[in-house]
């Protein structure tokens, strides 16, 4: 097993590389891997994922990412790492030697110790192995927060130090040529790192490359002046003086043999330096990972071959800017010539023929026109011969195809070729292509600042973030926006942000010298075939983030194999991004471009049918899983039979709870899409299919949003049964988030609507849910009366529906202290769940029986039942009710005297309830935690916890937990503050009396004993 963090993040178990999920989920793994064996708190991971403005769902999202990783590793087998959940956070259990960066840093530290002890050769061997194994920057391609960014910088400094130590050891051992090879990239990549520059100059001087040493000095001096306004240090100055003296000696020795009138030729040069590069942007921003990787490649350049690298990406992502910047930085190391040519791979004019390109490049080298032969093969031969005499860097910009590029590539050493293209190319020996993505938000704001002025952008940071977001973090769009802002001195950044928020945003609004982002996109779109252009436009209808191949096939109405070819071609042309294995997305501006084309070119009916096909596929997949989670849903005909494209349903892969977890955000977006585009039946049906999953995972915000949209769609279409169902299930989310009044209003309205359509079973479910609100609001008598009435009715009419009625009746009976009756209700619930094969009701019945056992003092039995319920939750993925189960488990453990375990369970319960937004459950868990703290002798802390419980229960109007908190506080304060304790006790007694719960007798006895 190996966890790779250098050059990207990957986990390999045996021969298999594991799928690590979304970028944020990968970031969670990165944090855990870099702190292997240590507890990483949830708060720390939230700060890393959302350093500026974490969403309300941040903590549950972190828990979801960690749970997904844990399950993925469990499936991978015993050799995979383990993600262990502990109080407050997570710990990754893995051999530290299996994590590349930890292993390599340990090797570097050991090598440093060996070198200090005088054991140079073992140190060289260890450093060589470490440097060669360094695949690239730490966590390349991942969005990093403050901790990981700092760690990346620290690791990069360690890498630089290792390279410098290795080079120094090579020089001391008389191997300067090896030191040069190691350092070739270090000096250009870190031009202000004087130690690396000094070592490279020493090595170059010892190998006779005097001109190279002088070039290194000049590049370092310029970088120090530009970045820090300082001069080079003493060592660099001394080495520079030595290099100049060596050059003079070489020049004097060559004067006697040099033909008259010709300038002296410095070592390493075969003629005067030529530079045909465009002017590099002085404000280059970002791309440090790519730059470092490419510069590292040049350092490892084979002595027998040239280096060729392809940089591809979508229009406007900065390919040419990066290539020119990189070529400029490489110029000191490749000083003989820097060449550039636009191959016209995209645009109105046809691509340049390789023969014409060779003529231009040879002329750039200074070859006389009369010496350039007319035949292509002869030109190739002359081109390669000329390059063999020089150290040259070449930029082949805007390539159309591999066939256009291959004749231009050198065969000998000493040349770096950088090829940019909008589509993926295959060039033999070119290595892994660098596919550019958009900038990070920080890089994008920095680019806006250098384009529009740092003062203006720095004064409005929020507006600047909005501008770059509207520009899709695309460099071309940001530069155009910045240029527009720079030429309008009266504008604020907020003015530009507001303008981009309206209309067509950055796509066509930003025009500088008739240049727009849309024009850049059109040169990639226009060459596509008719069917591919149509597919591209249809994909823009997808409302979520990333889609799968079957979803693309549904939207474009293509057979699966043709859809795969189409998607691959769009990815190769960078009109579409592949964001994971089999997952694709359109960049925001590209989506806007495709949408505008579709609205202009496609019939409304075509767009409608595309959305209909997508919704049909996603609803069928969701309902397949939902029926397994909620068997009663099979009675609701969510989609007509048979499915129109069964092969697409099969191609979606395993349809399980984890599929729903991965697609959750996309499916909720599809509900909104269905409602907004008039696909009314799909809107409420998809919301209904998602309900059980969202409820069991505590995604209550998703229930509210999807069911409100489903309700609007059902009412608009006049489907009153569907509208009533939406109100019923919408009420469930409001109950769990303690908005009882809204939930009660929704349920009462739903009952009337179901009665109007004569749906007795639905009326039963709504009345059952209404009984929950009665007991949460403290009206236990009404909750029991209604529950018993419903049980009688269902025994006569629908006995299979009893599992919906019994648990709520049992809960109310438990709070009233009618434990034997409660046990009968919960045992009957368990029996019904087993008859129906309903796992959700089975695990709930076990938990409820355990809860009653706790109240009866049968703590050992309760522990077994509650742990069984938790195990079943882990097995099925049902997270609903877990905080309550853990709170009851803690109470049982407290009853057995296992106080540390009890406290841990209570703390987890509080944390889960807080994460889920279940305030009434949080209040109950806090009260249990307070009792355990008091049992441990931590009375002051217990008082603080009960005060929190009281404040929370009061805020959500949950009288039972208010009374429990007041009673506990009265007991804790009885000695230190007897008057206050009595006042609190009287308040608790008033609540308990009103509810009729057994705690009133104990409270009345305590008050009598302390009567003044």
């Amino acid at each position: 097993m190996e966890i790779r963090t250098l050059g990207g993040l990957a986990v390999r178990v045996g021969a298999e590389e594991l799928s690590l999920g979304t970028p944020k989920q990968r970031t969670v793994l990165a944090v855990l891997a870099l702190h292997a064996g240590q507890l990483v708190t949830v708060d720390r991971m939230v700060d890393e994922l959302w350093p500026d403005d974490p969403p309300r769902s941040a903590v549950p999202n972190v828990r979801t990412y960690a749970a997904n990783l844990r399950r993925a590793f469990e499936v991978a087998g015993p050799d995979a790492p383990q993600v262990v959940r502990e109080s407050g956070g997570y710990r990754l259990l893995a051999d530290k030697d299996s994590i590349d960066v930890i292993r390599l840093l340990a090797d570097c530290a050991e090598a440093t110790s060996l070198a200090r002890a005088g054991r140079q050769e073992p140190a060289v061997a260890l450093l060589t192995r470490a440097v060669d194994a360094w695949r690239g920057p730490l966590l390349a391609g991942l969005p990093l927060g403050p901790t990981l960014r700092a760690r990346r910088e620290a690791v990069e400094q360690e890498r630089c130090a290792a390279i410098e130590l290795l080079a120094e050891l090579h020089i001391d051992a008389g191997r300067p040529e090896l030191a040069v090879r190691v350092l070739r990239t270090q000096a250009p990549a870190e031009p202000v790192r004087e130690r690396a520059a000094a070592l490279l100059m020493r090595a170059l001087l010892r190998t006779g490359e005097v001109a190279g040493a002088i070039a290194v000095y000049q590049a370092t001096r310029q970088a120090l002046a530009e970045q820090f306004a300082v001069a080079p240090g003493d060592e660099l100055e001394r080495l520079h003086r030595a290099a100049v003296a060596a050059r003079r000696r070489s020049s004097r020795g060559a004067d006697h043999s040099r033909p008259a009138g010709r300038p002296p030729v410095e070592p390493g040069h075969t003629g005067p330096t030529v530079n045909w590069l465009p002017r590099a942007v002085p404000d280059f921003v970002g791309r440090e990972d790519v730059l470092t990787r490419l510069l590292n490649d040049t350092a490892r350049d084979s002595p027998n071959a040239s280096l060729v690298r392809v940089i591809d990406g979508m229009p406007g992502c900065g390919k040419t800017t990066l290539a020119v910047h990189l070529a400029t930085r490489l110029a000191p190391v490749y000083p003989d010539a820097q060449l550039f040519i636009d191959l016209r791979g995209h645009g109105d004019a046809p691509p340049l023929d390789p023969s014409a390109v060779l003529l231009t490049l040879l002329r750039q080298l200074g070859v006389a026109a009369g010496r350039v032969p007319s035949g292509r093969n002869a030109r190739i031969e002359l081109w390669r011969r000329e390059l063999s005499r020089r150290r040259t860097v070449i930029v082949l910009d805007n390539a159309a195809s591999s066939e256009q590029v291959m004749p231009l590539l050198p065969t000998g050493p000493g040349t770096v070729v950088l090829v940019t293209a909008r589509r993926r190319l295959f060039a033999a020996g070119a290595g892994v292509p660098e596919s550019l993505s958009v900038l990070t938000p920080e890089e994008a704001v920095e680019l806006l600042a250098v384009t529009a002025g740092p003062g203006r952008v720095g004064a409005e940071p929020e507006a600047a973030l909005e501008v770059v977001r509207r520009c899709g973090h695309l460099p071309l769009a940001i530069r155009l926006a910045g240029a527009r802002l720079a030429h309008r001195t009266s504008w604020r950044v907020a003015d530009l942000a507001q303008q981009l928020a309206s209309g067509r945003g950055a796509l066509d609004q930003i025009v500088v010298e008739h240049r727009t982002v849309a024009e850049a996109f059109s040169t990639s779109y226009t060459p596509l075939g008719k069917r591919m252009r149509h597919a591209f436009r249809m994909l823009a209808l997808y409302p979520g983030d990333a889609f799968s191949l079957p979803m693309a096939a549904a939207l474009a109405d293509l057979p699966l194999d043709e859809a795969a070819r189409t998607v691959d071609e769009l990815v190769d042309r960078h009109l579409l991004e592949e964001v994971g294995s089999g997952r694709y997305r359109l960049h925001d501006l590209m989506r806007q471009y495709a949408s505008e084309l579709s609205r202009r070119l496609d019939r409304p009916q075509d767009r409608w049918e595309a959305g209909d096909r997508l919704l049909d596929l996603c609803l069928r997949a969701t309902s397949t899983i939902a029926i397994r989670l909620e068997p009663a849903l099979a009675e609701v005909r969510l989609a007509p039979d048979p499915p129109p494209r069964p092969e697409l349903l099969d191609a979606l892969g395993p349809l399980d709870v984890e599929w729903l977890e991965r697609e959750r955000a996309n499916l909720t977006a599809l509900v909104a899409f269905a409602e907004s585009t008039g696909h009314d039946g799909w809107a409420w049906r998809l919301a209904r299919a998602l309900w059980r999953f969202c409820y069991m995972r505590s995604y209550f915000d998703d229930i509210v949003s999807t069911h409100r949209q489903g309700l609007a769609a059902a009412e608009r279409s006049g489907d009153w049964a569907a509208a009533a169902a939406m109100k019923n299930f919408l009420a469930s989310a409001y109950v769990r988030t303690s908005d009882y009044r809204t939930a009660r209003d929704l349920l009462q309205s739903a009952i009337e609507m179901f009665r109007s359509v004569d749906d007795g079973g639905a009326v039963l479910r709504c009345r059952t849910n209404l009984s929950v609100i009665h007991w949460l609001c403290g009206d236990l008598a009404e909750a029991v009366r209604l529950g018993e009435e419903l049980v009688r009715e269902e025994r006569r009419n629908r006995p299979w529906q009893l599992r919906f009625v019994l648990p709520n009746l049992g809960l109310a009976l438990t709070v009233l202290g009618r434990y034997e009756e409660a046990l009968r209700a919960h045992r009957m619930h368990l029996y019904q769940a087993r008859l129906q094969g309903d796992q959700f009701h089975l695990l709930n019945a076990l938990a409820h029986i355990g809860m009653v056992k706790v109240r009866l003092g049968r703590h050992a039995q309760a522990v077994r039942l509650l742990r069984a319920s938790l195990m079943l939750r882990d097995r099925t993925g049902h997270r609903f009710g877990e905080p309550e189960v853990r709170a009851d488990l803690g109470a049982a453990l407290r009853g057995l005297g296992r106080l540390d375990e009890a406290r841990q369970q209570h703390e987890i319960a509080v944390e889960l309830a807080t994460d889920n937004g279940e305030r009434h459950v949080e209040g109950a868990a806090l009260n249990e935690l307070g009792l355990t703290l008091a049992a441990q002798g931590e009375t002051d802390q217990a008082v603080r916890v009960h005060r929190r419980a009281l404040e929370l229960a009061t805020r959500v109007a949950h009288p039972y937990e208010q009374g429990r908190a007041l009673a506990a506080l009265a007991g804790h304060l009885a000695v230190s503050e007897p008057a206050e304790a009595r006042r609190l006790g009287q308040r608790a007694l008033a609540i308990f009396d009103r509810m009729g719960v057994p705690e009133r007798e104990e409270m009345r006895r305590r008050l009598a004993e302390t009567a003044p």
Side-chain angles (χ1 to χ4, degrees):
M1 186 274 292
E2 182 182 22
I3 300 177
R4 298 178 181 175
T5 62
L6 296 170
L9 181 66
V11 176
R12 184 174 292 277
V13 178
E16 181 185 2
E17 185 168 308
L18 303 186
S19 174
L20 301 178
T22 65
K24 280 190 166 51
Q25 186 167 302
R26 295 164 69 87
T27 301
V28 167
L29 175 58
V31 175
L32 292 171
L34 294 179
H35 298 85
Q38 303 174 35
L39 177 67
V40 181
T41 66
V42 172
D43 287 344
R44 187 171 183 179
M45 284 192 268
V46 168
D47 290 342
E48 188 66 30
L49 293 169
W50 299 278
D52 298 321
D53 186 21
R56 290 178 56 194
S57 59
V59 172
N61 285 352
V62 167
R63 297 203 179 283
T64 296
Y65 300 144
N68 290 345
L69 290 170
R70 183 173 63 244
R71 285 188 284 272
F73 293 156
E74 287 172 353
V75 170
D79 294 335
Q82 297 179 46
V83 176
V84 178
R85 179 172 177 174
E86 298 181 12
S87 178
Y90 297 88
R91 191 188 307 268
L92 183 75
L93 301 183
D95 182 358
K96 291 187 178 181
D97 284 344
S98 68
I99 303 169
D100 58 354
V101 68
I102 295 177
R103 183 178 65 250
L104 293 178
L105 289 176
D107 286 348
C108 292
E110 184 180 352
T112 302
S113 298
L114 289 170
R116 287 173 180 167
R119 301 178 60 191
Q120 279 81 5
E121 290 311 311
V124 166
L126 204 53
L127 285 169
T128 301
R129 186 178 71 188
V131 169
D132 289 345
W134 220 284
R135 298 182 183 89
L138 183 72
L139 304 173
L142 272 186
L144 305 185
T147 300
L148 290 182
R149 272 200 300 270
R151 187 66 179 270
R152 174 187 285 178
E153 178 62 26
V155 167
E156 180 61 19
Q157 294 303 314
E158 292 284 350
R159 183 188 73 87
C160 293
I163 289 173
E164 290 161 2
L165 177 58
L166 178 58
E168 186 173 26
L169 293 173
H170 278 317
I171 293 170
D172 293 345
R175 298 186 293 262
E177 70 285 352
L178 295 181
V180 170
R181 185 175 299 176
V182 169
L183 288 164
R184 274 291 187 193
T185 186
Q186 181 69 5
E190 297 280 349
V192 296
R193 199 171 176 97
E194 293 188 71
R195 174 169 165 74
L199 287 166
L200 181 55
M201 289 181 70
R202 283 173 57 193
L204 289 169
L205 287 171
R206 292 195 184 187
T207 58
E209 292 190 46
V210 177
I214 293 174
V216 170
Y217 169 81
Q218 291 171 340
T220 304
R221 183 182 63 181
Q222 180 180 354
L224 288 169
E226 289 177 352
Q227 295 188 37
F228 303 117
V230 298
D234 292 343
E235 185 178 8
L236 282 180
E237 293 292 358
R238 179 181 60 76
L239 289 167
H240 180 239
R241 288 193 296 271
V244 170
R247 181 173 62 178
R248 288 173 182 161
R249 288 193 299 273
S250 175
S251 298
R252 284 196 299 271
D255 279 347
H256 300 292
S257 58
R258 187 174 73 248
R262 298 193 65 180
V265 179
E266 295 179 347
H269 289 256
T270 57
T273 295
V274 295
N275 186 343
W276 287 86
L277 294 175
R279 180 176 176 270
V281 294
D283 49 19
F284 187 84
V285 169
R287 309 297 189 197
E288 288 302 322
D289 295 349
V290 179
L291 278 170
T292 302
R293 193 155 48 245
L294 291 170
L295 289 167
N296 285 341
D297 286 347
T298 63
R300 292 190 291 267
D301 190 3
S302 168
N304 301 315
S306 57
L307 180 76
V308 180
R309 287 294 178 267
V310 177
I311 304 170
D312 56 39
M314 68 182 292
C317 70
K319 301 178 293 295
T320 302
T321 302
L322 172 64
V324 171
H325 179 75
L326 177 61
T328 302
R329 289 183 63 167
L330 289 173
V333 187
Y334 295 86
D336 297 310
Q338 297 91 45
L339 310 181
F340 178 93
I341 188 168
D342 181 357
L343 300 180
R344 299 180 189 169
H346 297 87
D348 296 332
L352 290 180
D353 182 77
S355 186
V357 175
L358 287 166
L359 173 61
T360 300
L361 290 172
L362 285 165
R363 293 291 291 125
Q364 286 184 6
L365 278 179
V367 177
R371 288 186 54 220
V372 179
S374 58
R376 175 188 287 194
N377 290 339
R379 287 185 179 181
I380 292 173
E381 181 181 355
L382 176 61
W383 165 244
R384 289 172 176 169
R385 189 167 62 248
E386 288 291 329
L387 288 180
S388 68
R389 302 166 51 217
R390 298 169 169 85
R391 289 187 63 79
T392 307
V393 59
I394 306 164
V395 177
L396 302 177
D397 189 44
N398 200 15
S401 64
S402 302
E403 291 75 17
Q404 184 189 34
V405 170
M406 290 303 294
L408 311 178
L409 301 183
T411 54
T415 305
V416 171
V417 182
L418 304 174
V419 183
T420 73
R422 290 191 184 182
R423 63 173 302 164
R424 293 178 175 174
L425 305 180
F426 172 77
V432 179
E434 290 289 349
S435 293
L436 295 192
S437 60
V438 296
L439 298 175
T440 66
E442 295 80 10
E443 291 170 341
V445 170
E446 185 180 353
L447 179 58
L448 182 67
V450 299
T451 309
R456 296 171 72 184
V457 171
E460 299 179 76
E462 295 300 322
L465 281 169
E466 178 64 12
V467 167
V468 299
R469 188 184 72 80
R470 293 284 178 181
C471 291
H473 303 120
L474 190 68
L476 172 61
I478 295 167
R479 285 192 178 276
L480 292 176
R484 191 175 195 193
L485 198 57
H487 287 91
R488 288 162 175 79
T489 56
S490 63
W491 281 20
R492 299 175 303 133
V493 180
D495 295 331
L496 179 59
Q498 184 177 4
Q499 190 173 93
L500 295 178
S502 61
R504 298 183 63 197
L507 200 59
D508 277 330
Q509 282 196 45
I510 302 177
V511 182
V512 178
E513 295 181 350
H514 307 292
R515 190 181 187 194
T516 68
V517 179
E519 288 170 351
F521 290 171
S522 68
T523 57
S524 293
Y525 166 79
T526 303
L528 299 175
K530 181 178 179 182
R531 283 173 68 84
M532 195 169 294
R533 289 199 300 269
H534 177 263
F536 172 69
R537 298 194 302 269
M538 291 300 100
L539 292 178
L541 294 174
Y542 187 74
D545 182 26
F547 53 84
S548 62
L549 182 60
M551 295 174 185
L555 277 167
D557 199 20
L558 293 173
L560 202 56
D561 56 348
E562 186 177 349
R565 291 192 297 271
T566 298
V567 164
D568 284 344
E569 181 67 16
L570 292 174
V571 169
D572 285 345
R573 291 178 179 270
H574 290 284
L575 292 170
L576 194 64
E577 298 176 271
E578 186 170 12
V579 295
S581 179
R583 305 289 298 180
Y584 309 92
R585 71 179 291 272
L586 285 164
H587 179 271
D588 292 344
L589 292 184
M590 192 67 76
R591 181 198 300 270
Q592 190 178 342
Y593 173 69
S595 296
E596 291 293 336
L597 287 173
S598 181
R599 280 191 284 270
R600 192 166 70 243
L601 301 175
D602 298 316
R603 297 182 309 154
Q605 183 65 21
D606 293 338
R607 292 163 55 83
W608 169 273
E609 290 173 356
D612 202 67
R613 292 189 298 268
L614 174 66
L615 287 163
D616 179 90
L617 173 66
C618 292
L619 175 61
R620 290 179 189 279
T622 303
S623 59
T624 298
I625 307 164
I627 289 170
R628 290 200 292 270
L629 300 176
E630 186 185 358
L633 192 59
E635 302 169 15
V636 183
R637 291 188 58 79
L638 294 178
D641 288 328
R645 298 283 303 272
E647 79 281 6
L648 297 188
L649 203 59
D650 294 338
L652 285 171
L655 294 176
D656 52 21
V657 172
E658 295 312 310
W659 186 87
L660 282 179
E661 186 66 65
R662 288 192 300 273
E663 299 290 350
R664 176 173 67 91
N666 296 321
L667 293 170
T668 54
L670 273 171
V671 176
F673 167 78
E675 192 275 327
S676 65
T677 55
H679 291 84
D680 293 336
W682 297 117
W684 74 260
R685 287 180 170 87
L686 186 53
R688 175 66 184 92
L690 283 168
W691 175 78
R692 173 64 76 188
F693 166 75
C694 291
Y695 195 68
M696 75 186 203
R697 290 283 171 101
S698 301
Y699 295 135
F700 302 123
D701 286 349
D702 286 353
I703 293 175
V704 170
S705 63
T706 56
H707 284 67
R708 283 210 170 279
Q709 290 152 357
L711 175 60
E715 289 179 336
R716 184 166 56 231
S717 63
D719 190 336
W720 304 119
M726 290 294 98
K727 289 186 176 184
N728 175 47
F729 292 104
L730 182 58
S732 70
Y734 285 116
V735 169
R736 297 303 292 183
T737 53
S738 306
D739 188 348
Y740 306 133
R741 177 177 296 178
T742 301
R744 182 172 55 244
D745 292 346
L746 284 166
L747 286 172
Q748 289 171 342
S749 175
I751 288 169
E752 294 306 315
M753 295 175 79
F754 277 131
R755 281 175 174 157
S756 71
V757 296
D758 197 26
D759 190 339
V763 170
L764 159 76
R765 288 190 292 274
C766 290
R767 292 173 69 202
T768 299
N769 295 333
L770 198 56
S771 72
V772 177
I773 297 176
H774 286 315
W775 88 256
L776 286 172
C777 292
D779 193 351
L780 294 173
E782 178 60 20
V784 170
R785 186 202 64 76
L786 181 56
E788 290 175 337
E789 179 182 311
L790 291 170
V791 168
R792 288 192 297 271
E793 290 178 10
E794 295 315 305
R795 276 183 175 152
R796 290 194 306 269
N797 302 321
R798 290 172 290 268
W800 62 90
Q801 296 265 42
L802 282 170
R803 69 187 188 278
F804 298 108
V805 180
L806 290 165
N808 296 333
L809 172 60
L811 289 172
L813 289 168
T814 301
V815 177
L816 282 170
R818 295 160 62 177
Y819 300 134
E820 294 304 323
E821 294 173 78
L823 278 177
R824 284 197 295 273
H826 290 315
R827 284 167 177 160
M828 180 60 71
H829 179 211
L830 180 65
Y831 173 71
Q832 291 285 335
R834 292 183 64 182
L835 281 181
Q836 301 293 329
D838 192 321
Q839 298 289 302
F840 176 76
H841 282 273
L842 183 62
L843 59 87
N844 269 331
L846 289 170
H848 292 155
I849 295 171
M851 177 185 66
V852 180
K853 296 285 188 179
V854 173
R855 300 292 188 98
L856 289 169
R858 300 169 190 171
H859 298 122
Q861 294 177 18
V863 168
R864 288 194 295 273
L865 288 161
L866 294 165
R867 288 200 187 280
S869 179
L870 288 172
M871 288 174 61
L872 198 53
R873 280 173 162 81
D874 282 339
R875 189 183 309 158
T876 61
H878 285 277
R879 302 260 66 93
F880 167 75
E882 183 175 346
E884 293 103 309
V885 180
R886 291 194 178 276
D888 288 332
L889 177 57
L893 292 167
R894 183 177 67 235
L896 293 171
R898 293 154 63 177
L899 297 181
D900 289 342
E901 294 176 71
R903 180 172 178 172
Q904 182 182 38
Q905 291 298 327
H906 289 142
E907 288 174 344
I908 294 173
V910 170
E911 191 171 7
L912 288 175
T914 305
D915 294 349
N916 298 344
E918 299 176 272
R919 299 294 172 251
H920 64 285
V921 180
E922 184 183 352
L926 284 168
N927 275 328
E928 292 295 345
L929 175 59
L931 294 174
T932 298
L933 289 168
Q936 289 182 310
E938 300 184 27
T939 306
D940 290 344
Q941 191 172 350
V943 167
R944 288 194 292 271
V945 167
H946 283 302
R947 288 197 188 280
R948 281 176 57 197
L950 176 61
E951 187 275 330
L952 190 59
T954 304
R955 191 166 73 241
V956 300
H958 189 7
Y960 182 59
E961 294 305 332
Q962 287 181 56
R964 292 185 69 210
L966 288 165
L969 287 169
H972 297 325
L973 301 175
V975 176
S976 59
E977 300 179 48
E980 175 65 8
R982 183 169 182 79
R983 187 183 69 81
L984 294 172
Q986 288 170 338
R987 287 177 57 193
L989 179 59
I991 292 173
F992 292 153
D993 271 341
R994 187 167 63 250
M995 295 181 67
V997 295
E999 288 89 344
R1000 59 184 174 179
E1001 300 305 327
E1002 171 64 16
M1003 196 70 253
R1004 187 172 285 111
R1005 182 188 63 77
R1006 285 164 52 187
L1007 286 171
E1009 290 175 354
T1010 59

